[in-house]
Amino acid sequence: MNNFNFSDCRKAVNQASFRPTKSRKALALQLLSEALDFVNNLEEVKEPSKKAKSKKRRRKTTKRTPSQKVADRQELANKTNEVGPIKPSKKAKTASVKEAAESAKAVSVATGAAAKAAKKAQLKAEAETTDKVASLEAKIEALTAVLAVHMESSTQPSANEVSLEELPFEL
């Protein structure tokens, strides 16, 4: 009874109310009695004591006044960093390509990307050489087959040739 399904009960009641038949009424009554038994068998627990809730007042937020805005803007303008006021540099900084390349190389070595790239290049070169060897082997096989056919055709007499044994006279 702990796993009573109220959706089945509701479905049976709806079916009985919209299209009442004897079997639908009986099913709806049975499920309703099971629902009543389920509710009656529930254990009762103590109700929690209700404490008087104190109402907390919310502060009303207001927009900043124009004088507050001006004061905030002046404060930000006069604010200094721990190092001192931040001023833009007069000298434009330029990037060094050599330093950037060295830095990138150091990072790739540190992360192992350089080793991975070298290994990948080596595997690619090995794959290309094996492909070339396989291609050359296939060509050699084709050439030997052609040569065998040529040799076979050159050893057979043509239609105009006659062997010595087939001559009608003796030599």
Side-chain angles (χ1 to χ4, degrees), residues 42-126:
L42 291 176
E43 292 182 26
E44 295 178 5
V45 295
K46 291 182 181 178
E47 289 186 27
S49 61
K50 293 184 179 180
K51 295 181 181 178
K53 291 184 179 180
S54 61
K55 291 186 178 180
K56 292 183 179 179
R57 290 188 177 180
R58 277 183 57 186
R59 281 188 159 180
K60 186 178 179 183
T61 57
T62 57
K63 290 185 176 180
R64 295 186 305 165
T65 62
S67 60
Q68 287 175 331
K69 290 179 183 177
V70 170
D72 288 344
R73 199 169 29 241
Q74 287 175 351
E75 185 180 330
L76 284 175
N78 294 332
K79 188 175 184 180
T80 59
N81 205 353
E82 295 168 357
V83 180
I86 301 171
K87 296 179 183 176
S89 174
K90 292 179 183 176
K91 180 186 171 191
K93 294 187 178 184
T94 57
S96 170
V97 176
K98 290 180 182 177
E99 289 179 9
E102 289 173 5
S103 173
K105 197 172 205 178
V107 168
S108 67
V109 168
T111 59
K116 288 180 186 176
K119 187 175 182 182
K120 190 174 182 181
Q122 181 185 3
L123 289 174
K124 187 175 181 182
E126 288 175 2

Side-chain angles (χ1 to χ4, degrees), residues 31-46:
L31 289 173
L32 283 172
S33 64
E34 286 180 15
L36 282 173
D37 291 340
F38 177 74
V39 172
N40 286 334
N41 290 335
L42 291 176
E43 292 182 26
E44 295 178 5
V45 295
K46 291 182 181 178

